[in-house]
Amino acid sequence: MAGLKRRVPLHSLRYFISMVGLFSKPGLLPWYARNPPGWSQLFLGTVCKGDFTRVIATKCQKGQKSQKKPSHLGPLDGSWQERLADVVTPLWRLSYEEQLKVKFAAQKKILQRLESYIQMLNGVSVTTAVPKSERLSCLLHPIIPSPVINGYRNKSTFSVNRGPDGNPKTVGFYLGTWRDGNVVCVQSNHLKNIPEKHSQVAQYYEVFLRQSPLEPCLVFHEGGYWRELTVRTNSQGHTMAIITFHPQKLSQELHVQKEIVKEFFIRGPGAACGLTSLYFQESTMTRCSHQQSPYQLLFGEPYIFEELLSLKIRISPDAFFQINTAGAEMLYRTVGELTGVNSDTILLDICCGTGVIGLSLAQHTSRVLGIELLEQAVEDARWTAAFNGITNSEFHTGQAEKILPGLLKSKEDGQSIVAVVNPARAGLHYKVIQAIRNFRAIHTLVFVSCKLHGESTRNVIELCCPPDPAKKLLGEPFVLQQAVPVDLFPHTPHCELVLLFTR
Ligand SMILES: C[S@@+](CC[C@H](N)C(=O)[O-])C[C@H]1O[C@@H](n2cnc3c(N)ncnc32)[C@H](O)[C@@H]1O
């Protein structure tokens, strides 16, 4: 990518810095009408220049009323809490309307850069659609706002470390960097994206830690036991907590500690949290999957359930689920609309997690094929299919790069296949791109990304570049047709981008 970057001609820089106007048609997506009144018109004629930092800084200098400190920030802890809010939710000082303008401009900039890379590789614009405007070839739709703006997270992971007062049993989020040696763990109950329930469980976990004789595990090589806390909630208010614990050399004592923490949350002060379930994971690494170190259910319901797009969805502690449930519904509707599936189509859901994208479209397709790395998520997808009476789906566990080539070989070449890819931030493995490119029955591809940088950019370029036998990219290139930004992360700069490619 660095090499590519250097080859961007100077004149294309104007793409990256000009943010004038927009050329997307509001209301193309039918459910758009359900958004809060006024949103669909938000960006008509918008002028928004520069990056987040500059936009926010400018707003703050101007002393706009949207930069008010939340009333619940106390005068004593205000500075730490404000600093944390500025790191975790850097857009919190802006009104949501302003945030969406900033995000739309950023997504547009990403697309402009992407299109200029693709055009450069092709010499002429053979793999970009007919120009829709002077600055973008694809059709960029208005950003779809999140239906919930505050406290929207259904999952939060809290760290344990030294707080601003030096107490090593502080539960919150990190501020500072390890490189500079100035990391502080700051309580996060003021953050706008965190629901009160998550903060409450974090506060009680802190109470628990402070009365425990065992030390927290602050840095792996220094020993200690108590580690992170993850809290998951659903729309019904059910709450699952997962405590991560470094077992060090404990054996019998480990069992005792599990009983103590369980008692704390069932009958002790922690009962105020009303947990639906408590899990415990022994973990000697930064992150362990269930396969690497099982999630041990200390009490309660093993799963959390969510109702979405007329489906009841099961979610295991290890499974990925979009962190903004109402926003996820908008995202999945967008994906569904762009796929254009019909009863003759096979839908390939690559990196499917709990399978919601494929399952929500199952009744409109001939078959859904899901591929997902995590076993628990695949088990959830199978449960969700069975519970909702869906009989035309199958899910495969493992790395998409290993499974997809064989799966495609087994399909008749005649039947039309629509692929949806929704990779983790690291993007897709090259072999997945190669398999999609070389399987000619795939005419439509929907790419969902929350971070179109690095590997994901490379993925898109390899989907759209001219055939390259040296790279075994033989099939016709895809053409980027439409892009829809969907905001699942109010107050932060992050945004989902849904891209429709055809060939
Ligand atoms: C961003 S999530 C999307 C999940 C799903 N589409 C959804 O909306 O809930 C990415 C998923 O890709 C899975 N994943 C990561 N690497 C993978 C790989 N190499 N092969 C298959 N799945 C992978 C992760 O476990 C995760 O569930």
Side-chain angles (χ1 to χ4, degrees):
M1 287 308 304
L4 275 175
K5 234 175 197 164
R6 276 195 294 275
R7 276 156 45 203
V8 174
L10 259 186
H11 65 79
S12 67
L13 282 176
R14 69 190 163 87
Y15 284 140
F16 305 149
I17 53 173
S18 56
M19 292 296 183
V20 184
L22 64 94
F23 27 87
S24 45
K25 294 181 194 162
L28 273 184
L29 305 167
W31 57 92
Y32 208 77
R34 291 201 219 152
N35 294 335
W39 289 124
S40 60
Q41 296 304 314
L42 255 180
F43 301 110
L44 292 174
T46 293
V47 177
C48 197
K49 294 187 180 182
D51 58 17
F52 297 121
T53 324
R54 190 147 60 84
V55 171
I56 297 163
T58 314
K59 297 283 182 203
C60 294
Q61 279 161 16
K62 283 182 189 161
Q64 297 202 347
K65 61 175 185 250
S66 56
Q67 65 174 296
K68 262 194 211 156
K69 212 167 76 169
S71 55
H72 52 278
L73 285 184
L76 292 177
D77 53 8
S79 79
W80 286 107
Q81 297 202 327
E82 277 197 54
R83 280 171 61 191
L84 183 66
D86 286 340
V87 170
V88 180
T89 49
L91 305 184
W92 72 273
R93 293 165 193 274
L94 304 181
S95 69
Y96 189 47
E97 206 167 312
E98 289 169 320
Q99 291 183 23
L100 289 173
K101 287 180 190 170
V102 171
K103 289 191 186 200
F104 182 82
Q107 296 303 313
K108 189 168 153 189
K109 195 170 174 179
I110 287 170
L111 284 170
Q112 285 167 335
R113 189 166 49 207
L114 196 63
E115 284 195 349
S116 75
Y117 285 155
I118 296 169
Q119 278 161 9
M120 255 190 320
L121 283 171
N122 288 288
V124 287
S125 58
V126 284
T127 60
T128 49
V130 178
K132 303 284 187 304
S133 88
E134 59 181 286
R135 299 204 191 279
L136 272 179
S137 298
C138 70
L139 175 64
L140 174 61
H141 291 265
I143 188 166
I144 297 180
S146 170
V148 182
I149 296 161
N150 293 320
Y152 57 82
R153 289 192 67 101
N154 57 34
K155 179 183 175 185
S156 305
T157 297
F158 301 93
S159 301
V160 176
N161 218 299
R162 265 175 231 293
D165 61 356
N167 192 324
K169 290 181 169 178
T170 302
V171 178
F173 290 162
Y174 287 145
L175 201 54
T177 62
W178 295 107
R179 195 193 53 208
D180 297 335
N182 61 354
V183 169
V184 177
C185 191
V186 179
Q187 290 171 341
S188 50
N189 46 350
H190 61 297
L191 293 178
K192 286 188 160 192
N193 56 350
I194 307 274
E196 273 175 31
K197 177 55 80 179
H198 294 195
S199 301
Q200 184 194 28
V201 182
Q203 280 168 348
Y204 275 99
Y205 184 47
E206 189 176 275
V207 169
F208 171 78
L209 295 188
R210 289 185 180 193
Q211 68 179 42
S212 167
L214 294 190
E215 290 308 314
C217 175
L218 306 185
V219 187
F220 278 6
H221 65 267
E222 285 178 5
Y225 304 90
W226 299 109
R227 294 188 48 214
E228 287 174 357
L229 167 78
T230 296
V231 186
R232 289 187 107 147
T233 41
N234 69 1
S235 314
Q236 289 172 281
H238 296 165
T239 308
M240 173 191 281
I242 304 161
I243 290 171
T244 316
F245 185 91
H246 197 309
Q248 303 296 349
K249 292 192 170 63
L250 293 184
S251 53
Q252 275 301 94
E253 180 62 17
L254 189 59
H255 178 69
V256 175
Q257 290 306 319
K258 287 189 227 173
E259 283 303 309
I260 292 173
V261 71
K262 176 175 154 183
E263 273 306 297
F264 178 87
F265 280 104
I266 294 182
R267 275 174 280 274
C273 300
L275 294 186
T276 321
S277 57
L278 179 62
Y279 273 99
F280 186 90
Q281 191 190 36
E282 295 163 38
S283 172
T284 54
M285 296 186 279
T286 313
R287 157 119 178 84
C288 281
S289 68
H290 178 71
Q291 280 145 292
Q292 291 163 320
S293 174
Y295 286 81
Q296 305 164 37
L297 182 64
L298 298 188
F299 72 79
E301 296 294 320
Y303 310 105
I304 206 155
F305 295 90
E306 201 55 87
E307 306 268 340
L308 205 75
L309 300 167
S310 312
L311 294 175
K312 179 167 178 168
I313 297 149
R314 190 181 95 175
I315 307 164
S316 294
D318 200 19
F320 173 91
F321 194 72
Q322 294 289 356
I323 56 107
N324 174 345
T325 308
E329 189 152 346
M330 308 303 281
L331 178 73
Y332 297 145
R333 282 182 197 280
T334 305
V335 173
E337 161 104 346
L338 292 179
T339 57
V341 288
N342 60 46
S343 54
D344 294 328
T345 326
I346 293 178
L347 181 74
L348 252 181
D349 188 355
I350 300 169
C351 297
C352 67
T354 55
V356 192
I357 294 178
L359 293 175
S360 66
L361 295 169
Q363 58 174 318
H364 307 294
T365 64
S366 76
R367 193 146 192 84
V368 171
L369 307 175
I371 306 177
E372 162 60 39
L373 182 66
L374 291 181
E375 205 171 278
Q376 279 204 337
V378 171
E379 284 166 10
D380 289 338
R382 289 184 184 135
W383 182 94
T384 298
F387 184 86
N388 294 281
I390 297 168
T391 53
N392 62 341
S393 63
E394 64 187 59
F395 292 93
H396 301 260
T397 315
Q399 292 174 313
E401 52 272 29
K402 292 201 177 135
I403 293 172
L404 185 64
L407 195 62
L408 287 176
K409 258 188 208 146
S410 68
K411 298 292 153 212
E412 311 163 25
D413 230 7
Q415 191 160 13
S416 155
I417 299 185
V418 171
V420 174
V421 296
N422 183 195
R425 288 183 178 207
L428 290 166
H429 192 280
Y430 175 67
K431 286 197 170 150
V432 176
I433 300 295
Q434 214 176 49
I436 293 172
R437 257 305 283 256
N438 295 348
F439 198 77
R440 288 163 211 277
I442 303 179
H443 298 291
T444 303
L445 170 71
V446 178
F447 196 119
V448 185
S449 173
C450 62
K451 192 170 185 248
L452 204 54
H453 291 288
E455 202 52 35
S456 300
T457 309
R458 186 196 297 272
N459 290 162
V460 171
I461 288 170
E462 285 168 350
L463 286 164
C464 300
C465 68
D468 184 347
K471 287 185 166 179
K472 296 190 184 153
L473 295 172
L474 305 175
E476 282 297 300
F478 283 91
V479 178
L480 175 58
Q481 300 285 2
Q482 298 188 41
V484 191
V486 186
D487 183 26
L488 265 64
F489 317 101
H491 310 300
T492 81
H494 307 296
C495 187
E496 293 283 349
L497 189 59
V498 186
L499 303 173
L500 170 68
F501 297 90
T502 59
R503 63 174 173 178

